[in-house]
Amino acid sequence: MDAEAQDSFRKFVESRSSALLKTAVLLSGGDRHAAEDLLQGALVRAAGRWQRIDEPEAYVRRILYRQQVSRWRLKWPRRELAVAEPPEGARADDAASAAELRIVLRGALAKLTARQRTVLVLRYFEDLPEAEVARLLGCTVGTVRSTTHRSLARLRSLAPELARLDGPDTGARPQSTDLSPMEA
């Protein structure tokens, strides 16, 4: 890689790594160390092809998604992240309850399978349409729909206090901004 490409790559990493790390944290179920490993691996792969990449952020995100898919297909699953019990009766009108809600959501996401978590992150955090999620994960739109439905149902059963994110209709889709406060 020449000096100009190195400078371009360095600037990209400085400007976009925090946003990419947030996505990686969500994909890894809240495990910051696994997320850092996931992002580092994606950036290493992107660095090798940096001069041929037209859309760097899209390319790195696609690597993140595909690496996560590869991880959930491993024969030996990774350790699960142990989390405390969710707090009871969080109030929506103060910053502390918002933080508690993020902790509950992160804990519930960590209890989902890697596939369920990845589909929810792509659909609601990244706000991608079903067809794009299916293309990225190499499955059908029907698989994305059924996985989304089952994942949301499991998320609701794991953390009933998240129901207020749905609004009055329990089948409503959470807004992408509802998942975004889960910063690491």
Side-chain angles (χ1 to χ4, degrees):
M1 186 181 319
D2 63 11
E4 183 178 325
Q6 283 182 346
D7 188 48
S8 169
F9 181 73
R10 186 175 298 115
K11 287 179 182 176
F12 171 78
V13 171
E14 288 172 0
S15 66
R16 299 306 304 154
S17 63
S18 64
L20 292 168
L21 182 60
K22 288 177 190 176
T23 300
V25 167
L26 291 170
L27 288 170
S28 64
D31 184 350
R32 187 173 177 91
H33 298 291
E36 289 171 350
D37 290 345
L38 187 65
L39 179 58
Q40 183 178 9
L43 290 174
V44 166
R45 293 181 87 187
R49 300 184 51 99
W50 188 252
Q51 294 173 315
R52 296 182 297 253
I53 299 173
D54 293 331
E55 296 180 35
E57 184 159 356
Y59 187 82
V60 171
R61 285 182 184 274
R62 192 169 32 250
I63 293 171
L64 285 173
Y65 307 146
R66 290 185 176 168
Q67 282 182 332
Q68 184 61 23
V69 167
S70 295
R71 286 183 178 188
W72 89 50
R73 289 181 178 161
L74 286 175
K75 190 171 188 172
W76 301 104
R78 305 238 183 234
R79 294 182 327 201
E80 288 190 20
L81 178 66
V83 296
E85 291 295 318
E88 296 295 320
R91 293 180 36 193
D93 59 347
D94 61 47
S97 68
E100 288 175 9
L101 190 59
R102 283 194 303 270
I103 291 169
V104 170
L105 182 56
R106 186 175 290 152
L109 282 172
K111 292 177 184 175
L112 296 176
T113 66
R115 179 182 205 111
Q116 290 173 326
R117 195 170 43 248
T118 301
V119 169
L120 290 181
V121 168
L122 292 174
R123 287 287 291 133
Y124 301 119
F125 181 75
E126 296 291 328
D127 201 26
L128 295 177
E130 292 169 337
E132 180 67 12
V133 174
R135 187 185 67 74
L136 285 170
L137 299 181
C139 61
T140 66
V141 173
T143 300
V144 170
R145 286 180 184 158
S146 63
T147 303
T148 301
H149 177 74
R150 284 190 213 109
S151 303
L152 288 174
R154 181 146 187 249
L155 201 60
R156 286 184 191 104
S157 71
L158 290 171
E161 53 271 49
L162 296 177
R164 67 183 170 160
L165 293 180
D166 287 342
D169 176 18
T170 57
R173 175 183 140 165
Q175 298 297 314
S176 61
T177 55
D178 291 337
L179 291 179
S180 62
M182 295 187 314
E183 297 175 4

